[in-house]
Amino acid sequence: MRRSAIRAALAVTAAATLTAAGFTITSTGARAADGDVANSVLADLTISDVPAAGLDAFTGVFGTAGSPPNGGLDNGDLSDPSGVLNYLTVRGQAVARTNAEAARNWAQAQASGFTLSLNERDFLSVGSLDAYAECIPAPIGPLALAYARTDSNTIGVLGRQVPTGTTQLEVTGAELGAADVSTATLTVRYDQIEDPSGGAYQPQSTARAGLDITISGTLRDEEGGELYDGPLVDVELGHVDVTCDGTTSPPVTTPPVTSPPVTTPPPTQPPVTDPPITIPPVTVPPITVPPVTDPPITIPPVTVPPVTVPPITLPPTTPPVTKPPTSRPTPTPTAPGPSHEPDYGYGDHGGY
């Protein structure tokens, strides 16, 4: 399994400290014991010592299981002795288990999601994870299978979606929760491990799967001066690995050769044969059905009496009355009037 240089140094330092103090760690979830053919680690967390970013050094694992050859099922240790859950929230049911038997070795790690909190902020978020690795030994194999399934193959860093591969993010000190930092450039490396790839059986004797997330950063003050440049956090989630090496195949058992017993054949008796019974054929005389003739149906003709329309006599036509032309009377000529002016009684009246 991959380990960063920082994690390795911290692990060596922690081991030396525990040895000097005379402590011995023993648990069913011991990390990748020598000789195990199936291992599972749900979460492996390393935080670098970066005072400028408000980070203190930490390393620890949560959710481990391991099975030696033919060691059977290990349901894992979820007791969190190193305190990973002080930083990492695991949503849903946490699963880390392994199994080793003659037919196959397998390892599994599952959770509904993860959130890493630093400086009272959600620094990293990962959706649901299902990681699985399996190896089938001879004579059927060796065959290996591995997959690591997540939500859309994306993670969130300070609320920003990050795909697999390498991504750079420009953030502020306020987003990091670091008062001494003005701006920062984060480099996020997100790897999805599947070996063999494709989610199908491949002819090989080992298999591994999981997620690797490493985040480093360049931190700057208000004047643009560099405060820090290096790793910040390293997270391994759902790391599972198996091998077929050292697996004991079931022995092939050859059945002993057994001589067939001597069998005395029983006396043979002639078979009893019943004579065949012959049933005479039954002849059924044909039944003649006389044809059924329907009498013809005669429809009497329908006689419609003639309709007599009485003649219509029109009254005689009276010719129009012709009025004779109106003749106007010929006017009678009148006597001419007097030629003198009329006398109205003034002056001389002559003979009157």
Side-chain angles (χ1 to χ4, degrees):
M1 298 175 66
R2 185 192 62 81
R3 295 181 63 91
S4 65
I6 293 176
R7 178 176 307 159
L10 290 172
V12 171
T13 302
T17 303
L18 291 174
T19 302
F23 294 106
T24 302
I25 299 178
T26 59
S27 71
T28 57
R31 178 181 171 84
D34 292 340
D36 283 353
V37 293
N39 295 282
S40 175
V41 179
L42 183 58
D44 191 339
L45 173 64
T46 296
I47 302 174
S48 301
D49 185 16
V50 186
L55 302 182
D56 296 326
F58 173 83
T59 184
V61 296
F62 168 72
T64 60
S67 296
N70 298 306
L73 180 66
D74 181 359
N75 281 317
D77 177 14
L78 303 174
S79 62
D80 189 30
S82 56
V84 171
L85 299 185
N86 293 331
Y87 303 91
L88 187 69
T89 299
V90 180
R91 298 189 297 275
Q93 181 180 5
V95 174
R97 58 184 177 178
T98 58
N99 189 35
E101 53 190 15
R104 62 173 181 156
N105 301 328
W106 57 263
Q108 186 178 39
Q110 291 179 330
S112 298
F114 307 85
T115 301
L116 175 64
S117 298
L118 299 175
N119 296 334
E120 300 181 351
R121 285 161 174 75
D122 292 343
F123 187 79
L124 171 67
S125 61
V126 181
S128 62
L129 169 65
D130 179 13
Y132 182 80
E134 178 181 309
C135 188
I136 300 176
I140 299 176
L143 294 172
L145 165 72
Y147 60 79
R149 298 169 180 163
T150 61
D151 287 343
S152 304
N153 294 331
T154 60
I155 60 175
V157 177
L158 294 175
R160 302 163 190 197
Q161 292 296 307
V162 177
T164 54
T166 301
T167 304
Q168 282 195 337
L169 302 175
E170 298 296 330
V171 301
T172 64
E175 291 178 280
L176 291 172
D180 296 334
V181 177
S182 176
T183 61
T185 300
L186 303 184
T187 301
V188 182
R189 177 70 187 179
Y190 173 31
D191 294 322
Q192 186 175 4
I193 301 170
E194 291 181 338
D195 180 24
S197 61
Y201 287 102
Q202 302 292 336
Q204 63 185 57
S205 60
T206 61
R208 66 191 186 104
L211 305 181
D212 280 355
I213 304 168
T214 59
I215 302 176
S216 59
T218 301
L219 312 181
R220 296 175 290 271
D221 59 20
E222 293 183 357
E223 287 75 27
E226 185 177 293
L227 299 175
Y228 176 81
D229 185 12
L232 298 176
V233 296
D234 184 6
V235 184
E236 294 181 356
L237 300 175
H239 266 234
V240 290
D241 69 89
V242 295
T243 179
C244 289
D245 297 339
T247 302
T248 303
S249 301
V252 179
T253 304
T254 304
V257 179
T258 305
S259 301
V262 179
T263 304
T264 303
T268 304
Q269 296 180 354
V272 178
T273 305
D274 293 331
I277 301 174
T278 304
I279 301 176
V282 178
T283 304
V284 179
I287 300 174
T288 304
V289 179
V292 178
T293 305
D294 294 331
I297 300 173
T298 304
I299 301 175
V302 178
T303 305
V304 179
V307 178
T308 304
V309 179
I312 300 172
T313 303
L314 298 175
T317 304
T318 304
V321 178
T322 305
K323 293 182 180 182
T326 305
S327 46
R328 293 181 178 182
T330 304
T332 302
T334 57
S339 59
H340 61 267
E341 293 293 331
D343 185 9
Y344 292 101
Y346 297 96
D348 187 11
H349 293 285
Y352 294 90

